[in-house]
Amino acid sequence: MQHDGGGESRVLQFFQAKRRQLLATSDLTVCEHPGLSGSHREEFQRIYLREVLPRRYDVGRGMVYGLFGRSKEADIVIWDSQNYPSLPMLDHSFYFAESVRVVIESKSRWSMANWHDVQEKTKAVRSITLDYSRSLRDEISMIREDIAALRVGKELAGALIVPHKIGTAAVFIEGGQDFLKNPEKIAEEIEQDAEESWPDVTLFLREGVVVSKQDDGESDPYVGFYRLGENSLIDFTNSLLRLLSERALSAHGEFYLDNYMRSVLKIGPYAKVEYQASLWSPQRKIR
């Protein structure tokens, strides 16, 4: 295989190989012992998340608690272990909502029952109330607004700060063909329920499809269905990095994989369905 001399082909090859590795591990688990419940989850963490996520984040499993509300037991919790504690309970790990950036549900196989389980868990995560205090990013934004107001001789009346909720994602290793074939058939459900009960991004690994919610604050938000084949994992990874960076502050600027997957980003959705966003919601640009 020829290389273009740049980083994009190498990066794409890396994630394509990771996808094949994850699928092969899934096949091995099913063949050796169909009853190995949860094996795909540990492999997904070991082979994928722990290798590609920035070291400031840790990966665990347990329940997320806020001032009001809590999650159901989460398969995968990505949290900031450098700045927050977690509490080891007898039957599960306790994560403070303020420390959690993304919660992922990982399913070995698609079914409507598993999809409804994902929706219920997503809704529980999104209902959590965080103990919000202004971050450095908020303070800098306020300073910029103050300077802009001074330039035009106006007094800054204030700013409405809408923090991001905890990010949500889901992975289905196998299946989902019928669900993904004609998204327009479930347009009504998407329109009504996507904001609260659909994950921000969902990966159908074997099918090579990524489903993500898009909201740039300017046009109507929509759920996009992207058929990306062997490049579905890198697109999902990039979406995770976006969800993480939106909920954290970096002294070195935000890093995404955009520049290393331009050929993938040129692929538009094969279906898109608009949905009703909540009145007060931060902008969301997953892809």
Side-chain angles (χ1 to χ4, degrees), residues 126-266:
R126 290 187 59 82
S127 69
I128 295 174
T129 300
L130 284 71
D131 180 17
Y132 177 73
S133 57
R134 290 203 308 194
S135 66
L136 180 58
R137 174 181 288 171
D138 298 328
E139 296 292 348
I140 294 174
S141 296
M142 290 294 293
I143 291 172
R144 287 175 174 171
E145 293 295 331
D146 280 331
I147 294 174
L150 287 172
R151 285 175 177 170
V152 296
K154 293 183 178 180
E155 183 177 351
L156 182 65
L160 177 65
I161 299 174
V162 182
H164 285 277
K165 293 179 179 289
I166 296 171
T168 54
V171 177
F172 292 93
I173 306 296
E174 304 281 350
Q177 301 96 322
D178 293 339
F179 179 77
L180 298 169
K181 189 180 301 181
N182 191 356
E184 286 78 7
K185 287 185 177 180
I186 55 172
E188 185 176 348
E189 177 197 332
I190 295 175
E191 292 168 3
Q192 296 178 356
D193 301 334
E195 175 67 15
E196 293 302 321
S197 64
W198 278 53
D200 293 308
V201 58
T202 302
L203 170 65
F204 293 81
L205 190 65
R206 178 76 69 182
E207 295 303 306
V209 173
V210 176
V211 180
S212 59
K213 296 194 293 192
Q214 305 288 342
D215 185 1
D216 60 9
E218 298 177 0
S219 54
D220 293 330
Y222 65 90
V223 175
F225 292 73
Y226 300 85
R227 196 175 300 280
L228 303 171
E230 62 181 0
N231 290 318
S232 55
L233 185 61
I234 188 175
D235 193 82
F236 179 78
T237 304
N238 199 39
S239 297
L240 280 184
L241 291 175
R242 285 188 176 278
L243 290 171
L244 292 170
S245 66
E246 288 171 352
R247 292 156 176 80
L249 182 66
S250 173
H252 303 287
E254 298 173 340
F255 174 79
Y256 309 127
L257 293 171
D258 289 25
N259 292 332
Y260 298 91
M261 51 180 292
R262 292 187 181 278
S263 59
V264 180
L265 292 176
K266 291 178 181 178

Side-chain angles (χ1 to χ4, degrees), residues 74-122:
D75 288 339
I76 300 171
V77 178
I78 303 177
W79 65 293
D80 183 352
S81 61
Q82 292 186 358
N83 297 297
Y84 297 90
S86 68
L87 305 179
M89 301 293 184
L90 289 176
D91 56 347
H92 68 277
S93 294
F94 178 116
Y95 296 97
F96 293 96
E98 292 74 24
S99 74
V100 177
R101 301 295 174 253
V102 179
V103 171
I104 304 176
E105 286 303 310
S106 179
K107 304 292 187 184
S108 58
R109 184 168 294 277
W110 162 269
S111 69
M112 286 306 298
N114 281 339
W115 174 241
H116 290 152
D117 183 62
V118 166
Q119 288 182 304
E120 287 300 315
K121 290 181 176 179
T122 298

Side-chain angles (χ1 to χ4, degrees), residues 34-53:
L36 286 177
S37 176
S39 291
H40 65 281
R41 183 188 305 117
E42 285 89 32
E43 291 303 302
F44 189 77
Q45 294 182 45
R46 181 181 67 81
I47 295 175
Y48 171 55
L49 292 176
R50 295 188 189 279
E51 291 188 6
V52 301
L53 292 182

